[in-house]
Amino acid sequence: MDLLTFLTSVPNALDKDTAREFAAAWRVELFEKGRHIASQGEADLLEHIILDGRATSQITDPDGRAICVGFHAGPCVVTPNVARTRNGISRVSLDVNADALVAQMDSNALTELMIASEPIREWANGILQQELALKADREWCLAALGGADRLAWFREKFTRHEGLFGHYMIPSFLGVTSVTLSRLRGAERGTSTN
């Protein structure tokens, strides 16, 4: 999808004139599979929109294990900089899982545009509210649900993702082991054949 089409799409559609001016402030770059859009522990002062392709947000723990904390299947806005960084340092790695066309803008430049333009401010605040609601919903899922219900929640919230992302990432996102996820799927297959 091209950036202008994305910016004029629901649910946070901008009018065409505002969207054209806003789109001109972004630069678009192709990131090949395996590349990092951002790296945990390094400076990241950018906002990212994935127009096409896929990426994941991952945190590497002190033992070197990568834990998936977010899925990004284009077209979508990646978690806003304010929620993904601290003091300009990325708290996550954004790893490209399938060649991705990514629009990027300096976070401070976006803030300036938000101050100058009410429609852009409303668009950006809408994105941030959606992301915070999703993060709170995931936290609730991890705290309140068992394995089978977590998988059901994932399938409801991310209808396409089970087929788009490697199955090794889904268990860490859901806070279960790969063995548990495999057993849950096996139990589903067992009940569907009865």
Side-chain angles (χ1 to χ4, degrees):
M1 175 178 288
D2 68 88
L3 183 57
L4 185 59
T5 301
F6 178 76
L7 294 173
T8 56
S9 299
V10 293
N12 297 312
L14 290 169
D15 67 80
K16 287 203 184 285
D17 290 335
T18 303
R20 259 189 229 95
E21 290 176 28
F22 191 34
W26 294 80
R27 67 177 168 81
V28 177
E29 182 180 346
L30 178 65
F31 285 79
E32 295 175 348
K33 179 180 177 177
R35 195 167 156 205
H36 296 290
I37 298 170
S39 296
Q40 181 179 339
E42 295 182 12
D44 180 13
L45 304 174
L46 299 174
E47 302 294 347
H48 312 281
I49 298 174
I50 297 179
L51 299 170
D52 189 31
R54 297 184 302 277
T56 55
S57 292
Q58 297 189 57
I59 297 172
T60 302
D61 71 13
D63 296 324
R65 291 183 299 253
I67 300 160
C68 181
V69 295
F71 294 101
H72 314 289
C76 68
V77 176
V78 172
T79 306
N81 187 282
V82 67
R84 180 183 84 246
T85 66
R86 177 164 293 167
N87 299 322
I89 302 299
S90 185
R91 301 177 85 181
V92 301
S93 289
L94 298 172
D95 299 338
V96 177
N97 304 100
D99 290 356
L101 190 61
V102 182
Q104 297 179 308
M105 174 190 288
D106 180 86
S107 184
N108 292 326
L110 176 59
T111 300
E112 290 174 14
L113 287 170
M114 290 171 64
I115 292 168
S117 169
E118 184 175 348
I120 292 173
R121 181 172 52 251
E122 289 175 4
W123 178 88
N125 285 334
I127 297 291
L128 184 58
Q129 287 173 357
Q130 289 170 16
E131 184 63 27
L132 292 175
L134 181 60
K135 284 190 174 297
D137 200 27
R138 178 173 177 257
E139 287 176 10
W140 174 85
C141 168
L142 294 175
L145 301 177
D149 290 331
R150 289 180 191 184
L151 181 56
W153 171 87
F154 177 79
R155 288 174 171 165
E156 178 185 327
K157 292 290 180 186
F158 304 97
T159 55
R160 305 177 306 142
H161 288 25
E162 210 168 351
L164 293 177
F165 291 93
H167 289 205
Y168 64 93
M169 292 180 223
I170 295 169
S172 70
F173 182 77
L174 293 177
V176 300
T177 65
S178 296
V179 172
T180 298
L181 184 61
S182 181
R183 286 181 182 155
L184 291 170
R185 289 182 172 143
E188 288 176 342
R189 285 189 295 274
T191 57
S192 67
T193 58
N194 293 335

